[in-house]
Amino acid sequence: MKYDYLIVGAGLFGATFAERIRAAGKRALVIDKRPHIAGNVYTESIEGIEVHKYGAHIFHTNSKRVWEYANRFAEFNRFTNSPMASYRGEMYSLPFNMLTFNRMWGVRTPDEARAIIESQRKACTITKPKNLEEQAISLVGTDIYEKLVRGYTEKQWGRPCNELPAFIIKRLPVRFTYDNNYFNALYQGIPKEGYTLMVERMLGDTEVRLNTDYLLSKDELDALAEKTVYTGPVDAYFGYCYGALKYRSIGFECEVLDTENYQGNAVINYTDKETPYTRVIEHKHFTFGNQKKTVISREYSREWTVGEEPYYPINDDENTALYERYRLLADKEERVIFGGRLGKYRYYDMDAVIESALIAAEEELSHGSSSG
């Protein structure tokens, strides 16, 4: 066989795995059905601005190992994610913090904010939340729920909050400080030159074939390598034999504007029901750009159907049970390693994708050396 590994998917998992096994002297072929590398972290230069084509990707991690690994392939800036929420023209800080509470109620101290939230929670007398609405109110009270949670969540999931399971919001970040750094992470930033170049450096001189759909030529491609690393949808790999796992999808509306600064922030969530999109991204603010024009993306959450790009796994009881059936099939595939968001049917932050790929490569190389 020409290659040691066929890697299906040129995103972060595939690129990390490819880099590690190449460093160990193994040969790999990376394929991707898209016309570009980098998967959902793909960035494209428009008007001199690195545009996140598949939604905002802010790198954040508490793992020194992952941070140092990522910094081998990109220079990161000091970007700190401090999104804002717009509710019918009123602007609030996210995550929920003293700036939010001051805007909401005019309070200035943590004790005042705690007292209001606690009184609203008690007034609702929810002891065992039966759905997302009750769960959210039991965590943050009614005012924050009505203005900053309900509309956004219903747009995100396409159904009323009282019909959504409580587990979706296990916790809501509430801070009684004037700190609007969204991520509690030791390390945070965005590659100054974009994620695409970062992934390109990770892939190095590994052979890459784009516009190549693995599932259309599976037997032919599998024959090229000793093993396959598969990062596509696990249910698609098995021909949806048990039925399709469910996801939410996202539509993007990108626009170049003839202004230097459209909204003054990288991310603004629209939490009222009337605004059809969930958020607006202004990409230049990720890298502190001073270009004469700006590029924005509006995001629309929508139902997913087979053939569309899947984004958010719906990890409810039904789909978790269905994935478990596919996982048992996957475990029997001795020549295939399943990885990434779609291969494992779970939502991964970028650092977790890289870490899982590092571990998978280490286990594979260790197994190979011990068996050899």
Side-chain angles (χ1 to χ4, degrees):
M1 292 181 176
K2 189 174 179 183
Y3 306 97
D4 296 298
Y5 294 92
L6 169 71
I7 300 173
V8 182
L12 283 177
F13 189 98
T16 301
F17 193 96
E19 190 278 328
R20 287 289 78 206
I21 61 115
R22 189 180 74 251
K26 303 289 187 180
R27 299 159 301 163
L29 168 65
V30 176
I31 65 171
D32 201 296
K33 68 178 182 180
R34 286 173 169 171
H36 59 74
I37 62 170
N40 280 2
V41 303
Y42 173 70
T43 51
E44 178 185 11
S45 182
I46 300 176
E47 297 292 338
I49 299 163
E50 286 297 320
V51 173
H52 298 215
K53 295 294 284 185
Y54 301 96
H57 285 87
I58 297 105
F59 198 92
H60 58 98
T61 186
N62 285 313
S63 168
K64 186 176 182 182
R65 178 197 187 198
V66 170
W67 181 246
E68 289 179 346
Y69 179 79
N71 274 265
R72 288 172 50 192
F73 309 101
E75 182 182 355
F76 284 77
N77 66 16
R78 58 167 184 81
F79 180 82
T80 299
N81 190 29
S82 301
M84 298 292 293
S86 173
Y87 176 81
R88 297 176 180 171
E90 299 174 7
M91 301 300 294
Y92 296 91
S93 289
L94 294 175
F96 311 136
N97 61 66
M98 287 304 300
L99 293 165
T100 317
F101 308 144
N102 176 265
R103 180 77 174 90
M104 185 83 67
W105 304 306
V107 298
R108 297 177 60 187
T109 69
D111 285 346
E112 291 174 308
R114 285 181 198 276
I116 291 175
I117 292 173
E118 193 58 32
S119 66
Q120 292 184 3
R121 290 173 57 193
K122 284 183 177 177
C124 293
T125 62
I126 298 169
T127 52
K128 269 188 131 180
K130 298 189 294 291
N131 52 54
L132 186 146
E133 179 174 282
E134 293 186 356
Q135 173 76 355
I137 291 172
S138 71
L139 290 170
V140 295
T142 48
D143 287 352
I144 294 174
Y145 168 71
E146 290 294 342
K147 286 193 174 185
L148 303 181
V149 177
R150 186 209 283 265
Y152 185 88
T153 304
E154 292 187 350
K155 287 188 290 186
Q156 186 79 358
W157 293 98
R159 45 191 58 83
C161 285
N162 59 13
E163 294 179 12
L164 289 166
F167 78 82
I168 290 177
I169 296 184
K170 293 176 182 173
R171 60 183 179 82
L172 283 167
V174 178
R175 297 181 190 160
F176 295 96
T177 61
Y178 288 92
D179 175 14
N180 62 345
N181 175 5
Y182 193 82
F183 298 119
N184 278 321
L186 287 173
Y187 312 102
Q188 184 174 175
I190 288 176
K192 290 182 177 180
E193 298 174 290
Y195 285 103
T196 303
L197 185 56
M198 171 181 165
V199 173
E200 186 179 309
R201 288 171 177 155
M202 293 169 77
L203 290 168
D205 58 5
T206 300
E207 184 181 344
V208 178
R209 298 181 192 173
L210 301 175
N211 298 301
T212 302
D213 192 326
Y214 169 72
L215 295 177
L216 292 181
S217 309
K218 183 177 179 300
D219 292 341
E220 177 188 337
L221 289 164
D222 280 342
L224 297 175
E226 295 285 347
K227 272 193 165 182
T228 297
V229 177
Y230 178 78
T231 67
V234 62
D235 51 350
Y237 180 90
F238 294 105
Y240 305 105
C241 63
Y242 297 137
L245 292 161
K246 292 180 182 176
Y247 296 85
R248 289 293 290 176
S249 192
I250 308 173
F252 300 96
E253 185 180 272
C254 190
E255 187 176 358
V256 178
L257 300 176
D258 194 14
T259 181
E260 290 188 28
N261 188 355
Y262 173 70
Q263 65 183 17
N265 205 50
V267 181
I268 295 184
N269 291 359
Y270 285 79
T271 61
D272 55 86
K273 294 180 185 177
E274 295 81 7
T275 304
Y277 38 85
T278 53
R279 61 182 183 173
V280 175
I281 309 300
E282 187 168 9
H283 301 270
K284 71 190 307 178
H285 295 307
F286 288 133
T287 50
F288 317 109
N290 56 8
Q291 297 87 350
K292 294 297 182 186
K293 294 187 178 183
T294 195
V295 182
I296 64 168
S297 297
R298 300 178 186 90
E299 295 186 10
Y300 298 82
S301 182
R302 62 191 187 198
E303 292 289 331
W304 173 84
T305 56
V306 173
E308 284 191 303
E309 186 63 34
Y311 282 90
Y312 299 108
I314 299 178
N315 297 117
D316 57 14
D317 292 342
E318 177 188 352
N319 283 283
T320 298
L322 181 56
Y323 167 68
E324 185 60 22
R325 297 179 72 188
Y326 281 118
R327 188 191 65 78
L328 292 173
L329 288 181
D331 286 348
K332 295 176 184 175
E333 296 284 308
E334 293 181 358
R335 292 182 56 226
V336 184
I337 298 166
F338 291 82
R341 174 178 54 96
L342 303 178
K344 293 290 191 180
Y345 193 65
R346 57 173 290 188
Y347 180 80
Y348 274 115
D349 285 326
M350 286 180 287
D351 65 323
V353 173
I354 290 175
E355 185 169 43
S356 64
L358 290 172
I359 292 170
E362 284 169 0
E363 290 178 348
E364 185 64 19
L365 292 168
S366 169
H367 173 72
S369 61
S370 62
S371 62

